[in-house]
Amino acid sequence: MTYDFFGGWSNVTGHNAPLYKPLNATGLLEEFTVQYAVDYWLQKGADPKKLILGMPLYGRTFTLKDPKQYGIGAPTVGKGGNSGPITRIIGMLGWFLK
């Protein structure tokens, strides 16, 4: 699974499926990336031909603790941002093609 690294359960904003760690990342934030997940399985001996990379086609939203503080790593509150018209789920925006 290489998605849902950040969402309404997080206390800071972050990409849903970050490819690489953000600059100055520490602790678990260094591990919440697509690169880390794939490298982890390869280091454990997984056959690369059997790995399937999950890619989200939706976005996660957040409610900022302070609207003046935004961007990756900004403090959040609540269970996510407003729901979208497609998903109608708090903290999730979907994309729909008609």
Side-chain angles (χ1 to χ4, degrees):
M1 187 168 124
T2 55
Y3 50 89
D4 285 347
F5 286 108
F6 292 90
W9 55 89
S10 306
N11 60 1
V12 296
T13 61
H15 290 293
N16 185 19
L19 185 55
Y20 304 110
K21 68 179 181 176
L23 296 175
N24 302 322
T26 59
L28 288 177
L29 295 180
E30 292 182 286
E31 299 177 11
F32 289 171
T33 68
V34 173
Q35 180 183 30
Y36 183 91
V38 171
D39 287 345
Y40 174 86
W41 284 106
L42 293 174
Q43 289 170 6
K44 294 292 181 182
D47 182 348
K49 294 177 186 173
K50 294 184 178 182
L51 287 182
I52 298 173
L53 183 79
M55 186 177 83
L57 297 177
Y58 56 90
R60 294 288 184 181
T61 65
F62 304 89
T63 300
L64 297 173
K65 187 173 185 179
D66 177 0
K68 293 176 185 171
Q69 261 192 303
Y70 53 88
I72 301 299
T76 64
V77 295
K79 300 289 183 190
N82 295 333
S83 59
I86 303 300
T87 65
R88 291 179 267 162
I89 298 171
I90 292 173
M92 181 182 266
L93 296 176
W95 180 75
F96 180 72
L97 180 63
K98 290 184 180 184

